[in-house]
Amino acid sequence: EAGVAQSPRYKIIEKRQSVAFWCNPISGHATLYWYQQILGQGPKLLIQFQNNGVVDDSQLPKDRFSAERLKGVDSTLKIQPAKLEDSAVYLCASSNTTAGWEQYFGPGTRLTVT
Amino acid sequence: GNSVTQMEGPVTLSEEAFLTINCTYTATGYPSLFWYVQYPGEGLQLLLKATKADDKGSNKGFEATYRKETTSFHLEKGSVQVSDSAVYFCALRGTGRRALTFGSGTRLQVQP
């Protein structure tokens, strides 16, 4: 079974530029999560989707971050404009009920904002 | 809200030493508790879990017991190996929620 795929793996941009990350969850997983992991910290939830609907986006900085999950499969996370403090690893995870809601994580995208 | 506190690292041990990484939590209701591991250059992997009080999760020689009375879920291993060197994250999933709340991680370095 293929795991959670993310791209790109690395991205370097200047502040005030925009960037987008892509995630393809495990086939059949209805729930998709985006986490932000700042260096030296644990992952923090940004947004959770159930199929193509948003379940929780309470910690998403909506003035600059947006996310969508069209057709309930792939998802994109966008930052516009980026700030220095957005430098982090962005992790995508997916889960479903038959797996006991166990979350499977992708390799992450490491973003550096200069 | 929910929170997880785990001991700061790095923890440096010699091979075959006993490992304990402390984890305590704050949550309402009856959360599920997890330990995740992140090996160098790899993604987060579930190491073990416990879904109710007094449950013991175990995997690859690691164990952790869900202690509701002390709100703890300490990770232990009797004899660590160099290959156990990684960052370990304690996490909880609150009642009625599916997303995880993570601790800040503890880096383990095992020397031969």
Side-chain angles (χ1 to χ4, degrees):
Chain A
E1 178 182 78
V4 176
Q6 290 188 247
S7 68
R9 292 295 309 275
Y10 305 92
K11 189 73 177 179
I12 301 174
I13 61 172
E14 295 181 353
K15 60 183 178 183
R16 291 189 289 275
Q17 286 187 326
S18 62
V19 64
F21 313 127
W22 173 83
C23 173
N24 179 242
I26 292 173
S27 178
H29 280 197
T31 307
L32 185 147
Y33 314 79
W34 283 102
Y35 290 87
Q36 180 192 56
Q37 185 177 12
I38 294 173
L39 185 65
Q41 300 181 20
K44 183 186 77 172
L45 179 73
L46 291 174
I47 189 167
Q48 176 185 343
F49 291 95
Q50 179 74 19
N51 295 308
N52 59 353
V54 175
V55 173
D56 184 354
D57 63 356
S58 58
Q59 299 187 78
L60 186 74
K62 299 181 186 63
D63 58 332
R64 298 183 300 107
F65 286 65
S66 64
E68 61 182 9
R69 191 183 184 199
L70 299 177
K71 301 181 182 179
V73 182
D74 292 3
S75 177
T76 56
L77 176 70
K78 296 180 181 178
I79 308 175
Q80 181 179 10
K83 292 185 175 181
L84 295 177
E85 59 260 36
D86 299 331
S87 294
V89 176
Y90 291 85
L91 297 167
C92 179
S94 68
S95 68
N96 69 4
T97 56
T98 59
W101 294 100
E102 177 179 332
Q103 293 186 27
Y104 295 82
F105 284 81
T109 296
R110 182 176 297 279
L111 173 68
T112 302
V113 182
T114 62
Chain B
N2 298 337
S3 66
V4 175
T5 302
Q6 56 182 111
M7 63 189 289
E8 292 188 14
V11 173
T12 303
L13 297 173
S14 298
E15 209 165 20
E16 300 184 4
F18 184 85
L19 168 71
T20 299
I21 299 178
N22 291 337
C23 171
T24 57
Y25 68 89
T26 301
T28 55
Y30 303 94
S32 296
L33 302 174
F34 305 82
W35 277 100
Y36 279 80
V37 59
Q38 191 169 37
Y39 297 104
E42 299 184 17
L44 278 168
Q45 302 173 28
L46 178 64
L47 179 60
L48 54 83
K49 65 181 180 183
T51 58
K52 61 183 187 295
D54 299 325
D55 267 2
K56 177 184 285 188
S58 61
N59 186 25
K60 299 181 180 180
F62 291 89
E63 294 183 339
T65 301
Y66 186 164
R67 301 287 189 199
K68 190 164 180 62
E69 63 275 15
T70 55
T71 62
S72 65
F73 192 55
H74 304 322
L75 183 67
E76 296 182 338
K77 186 175 185 182
S79 176
V80 294
Q81 305 300 312
V82 172
S83 57
D84 294 326
S85 297
V87 181
Y88 293 81
F89 292 92
C90 186
L92 71 82
R93 188 177 67 217
T95 305
R97 288 179 52 83
R98 299 305 173 193
L100 296 168
T101 299
F102 286 88
S104 56
T106 302
R107 181 175 299 277
L108 170 66
Q109 298 172 332
V110 180
Q111 298 175 337

